[in-house]
Amino acid sequence: MKAAFFTTNGPAKTVLRVLDVARPEPGPGEVRVRVTLSAINPGDMWMRTNSSPEDFGAVGEHRGRIPHQDGTGVVDAVGAGVDPSRIGERVWLWLAGSGTPWGTAAEWTVVPSDQAVRLPEGTSDELGASLGIPAMTAHWCLHADGSPKDRTVLVAAGAGAVGHYAIELGKLAGARIVTTVSGPEKAALARAAGADLVVNYRDADAVRQILDGAGPADRIIEVALTDNLELDLAVAAPGATIVTYSAQPVDPALPVFRLMWPNLVLRFALLLTAPREPLLRAATEITAALEQKLLSPLPVHSFALDDVAAAHEAVESGITGKVVLDLR
């Protein structure tokens, strides 16, 4: 089978290759998936440039790793302990390359059975591929400190992948959603996702717009803590939680007393090390939302498997939407 592959860290065009590798066989508790779309996240850029020696492993006759954590496909084989009736099932994948060299940038991959989640009838591959890390991160950030029902939640970067699903899943959970964006095109995407209030964070009166339009935020889902901490502190309600799921090149300087005085909670979220139980809950609730047709895809930008390096460069450029490799 064909698979994208890298054996050392570095720039996309330098280290990513497409090779012929042996098709994998599912082990106990695993399923094998014929991949249709392999989705790319910013975290895949980090893995390509920061993998440690233990992250590389045997892939057929090669040693290295196949990139990407998310995607969609069809189960075509199951390992011991997995119900054979799953064969033929369309699925969406999450954390496929976590703790294993078998990511989704290949014609086939193998994953633990519960990380290949049934895709409800009528759900497109594009929507399924947009889920994974973005939707599950959004769910974890929304629910890690209890239900967001009747809470005001500020979502930074509402047109981004995590922001998009934080809006949709937050509304589904009964939250009031305020989001920040950088321009009118992104504002339109955030409104389409269902945000109650959309504010351009570049406006001089952004804080006043948020407080006047929605009041203080009980929960803040943050992608750029270093850049946005001042705004977050200005709009946070007493006892609010600021949860950040991304690290910037420069860490923030934390104004401890200003965080302490209103009894704020600063939480950090990373799916790779998150507890298993909330991840499984997230997968279940995301699938239930799909069944009710309450989630929408991001704008999709498709590349062929042979163009994997260009696809990585598109993600690195900050393109709005979801970049995928189309293996159909």
Side-chain angles (χ1 to χ4, degrees), residues 275-293:
R276 187 78 173 172
E277 183 177 345
L279 297 186
L280 295 176
R281 175 191 169 195
T284 297
E285 294 188 2
I286 289 165
T287 302
L290 290 175
E291 289 173 337
Q292 299 174 67
K293 303 189 184 309

Side-chain angles (χ1 to χ4, degrees), residues 69-71 92-98 104 111-117 131-133 136 271 276 279-284:
Q69 307 276 345
D70 299 342
W92 63 275
L93 306 173
W94 56 275
L95 291 185
S98 175
T104 64
V111 296
S113 180
D114 56 13
Q115 288 171 224
V117 187
L131 303 173
I133 286 176
M136 295 187 72
L271 283 196
R276 187 78 173 172
L279 297 186
L280 295 176
R281 175 191 169 195
T284 297

Side-chain angles (χ1 to χ4, degrees), residues 113-228:
S113 180
D114 56 13
Q115 288 171 224
V117 187
R118 179 184 58 83
L119 204 56
E121 185 175 352
T123 305
S124 68
D125 286 335
E126 287 74 13
L127 175 51
S130 295
L131 303 173
I133 286 176
M136 295 187 72
T137 296
H139 189 283
W140 173 231
C141 291
L142 284 163
H143 292 273
D145 292 275
S147 171
K149 182 177 173 60
D150 297 328
R151 301 282 187 173
T152 298
V153 178
L154 170 61
V155 177
V162 175
H164 177 85
Y165 290 112
I167 293 170
E168 292 192 333
L169 292 170
K171 292 298 295 180
L172 183 59
R176 295 179 294 273
I177 301 293
V178 182
T179 190
T180 53
V181 296
S182 61
E185 181 183 356
K186 292 182 177 180
L189 290 172
R191 290 191 187 96
D196 297 291
L197 176 65
V198 181
V199 174
N200 188 327
Y201 66 83
R202 293 172 173 164
D203 289 350
D205 64 343
V207 169
R208 180 51 49 198
Q209 289 182 53
I210 293 169
L211 292 175
D212 287 350
D218 303 300
R219 230 162 264 180
I220 299 171
I221 299 177
E222 187 56 78
V223 66
L225 188 64
T226 301
D227 293 343
N228 298 334

Side-chain angles (χ1 to χ4, degrees), residues 140-141 144-145 154 156 217-234 236-248 250-270:
W140 173 231
C141 291
D145 292 275
L154 170 61
D218 303 300
R219 230 162 264 180
I220 299 171
I221 299 177
E222 187 56 78
V223 66
L225 188 64
T226 301
D227 293 343
N228 298 334
L229 183 57
E230 283 297 320
L231 183 147
D232 294 344
L233 290 172
T241 297
I242 303 171
V243 53
T244 184
Y245 60 87
S246 181
Q248 293 182 272
V250 178
D251 290 333
L254 295 181
V256 174
F257 188 74
R258 291 175 62 200
L259 288 159
M260 185 184 298
W261 183 260
N263 287 281
L264 300 185
V265 174
L266 186 57
R267 174 184 284 278
F268 300 90
L270 181 66

